[in-house]
Amino acid sequence: MAFGGDTAESFYDEGLTASMKGDVATAMELFEKAIRLDNTMASAYHQLGKCYQRQGRFDKAVALLKQVVSNKPDNITARLDLGFALLGLGDVDEDRRQFTQVAELDPTQGKAQLGLAQAFFREGNWRGALEQAQIALLNAGSSFAVLFLLGKSAKLSGDATVAENNLKKADA
């Protein structure tokens, strides 16, 4: 029995708890139960998509997250998750479109700039990746992902000083 009984909301809440604990398989079962009880629960589809993404099953993640974004086009979190799932599939054009749309909805969204930087990097556009990573650093702060990508991009674009500084920060 779920937290508050056998309702979609209680299965969803229990799924979130399992997901936060790292029990992705249980979380998926609970999100699926929530969806069976309420097939309009976008948040359950979203979380199920994130679970598939965590498992590296990007095709399934993309299908679910596209459905969420289609129903809620201004949902920044779902759009970001879709962008990263598309990046996992290697669909650089479509992931860039998702990250660009997020940046248009919220120009200070550092995760969108990080996603754009990763798309540029995947294409071999080191200068574009460097510029987007610098914007991500300003908006999202100095996380490992931002600093590492900034350092790698700088190194490949020939900026040894920026590369060394940021790779050292990422290592710390």
Side-chain angles (χ1 to χ4, degrees):
M1 182 181 230
F3 289 133
D6 291 334
T7 66
E9 292 78 15
S10 62
F11 284 118
Y12 174 80
D13 290 343
E14 197 170 324
L16 279 179
T17 300
S19 179
M20 287 188 272
K21 289 180 177 180
D23 188 353
V24 177
T26 298
M28 292 174 75
E29 290 174 19
L30 292 163
F31 293 135
E32 287 170 352
K33 285 181 181 180
I35 290 168
R36 278 194 296 277
L37 291 172
D38 181 358
N39 66 2
T40 66
M41 187 179 244
S43 56
Y45 285 99
H46 183 182
Q47 292 302 320
L48 183 58
K50 286 177 66 170
C51 288
Y52 279 118
Q53 186 174 355
R54 287 173 69 181
Q55 291 182 327
R57 296 168 68 187
F58 299 111
D59 53 338
K60 289 190 176 254
V62 166
L64 287 167
L65 293 167
K66 277 186 176 181
Q67 185 177 347
V68 174
V69 168
S70 174
N71 291 326
K72 297 187 177 247
D74 292 339
N75 185 325
I76 288 176
T77 306
R79 207 172 272 285
L80 282 170
D81 290 332
L82 174 57
F84 285 110
L86 288 160
L87 194 59
L89 275 180
D91 190 343
V92 176
D93 291 334
E94 182 61 21
D95 72 42
R96 184 189 331 267
R97 189 172 77 74
Q98 295 303 321
F99 294 130
T100 299
Q101 288 183 350
V102 170
E104 289 170 0
L105 291 168
D106 179 2
T108 64
Q109 179 50 257
K111 287 184 180 181
Q113 279 95 23
L114 177 59
L116 286 167
Q118 289 175 330
F120 281 124
F121 192 89
R122 183 169 281 217
E123 291 177 324
N125 180 346
W126 318 129
R127 180 57 55 191
L130 174 61
E131 291 169 4
Q132 285 299 318
Q134 288 171 324
I135 295 169
L137 181 64
L138 290 172
N139 289 320
S142 58
S143 69
F144 172 79
V146 171
L147 292 170
F148 187 70
L149 188 58
L150 182 55
K152 286 189 342 183
S153 303
K155 184 175 183 177
L156 292 168
S157 65
D159 194 334
T161 304
V162 170
E164 185 176 338
N165 289 339
N166 285 288
L167 289 172
K168 280 182 183 178
K169 289 178 187 176
D171 191 41

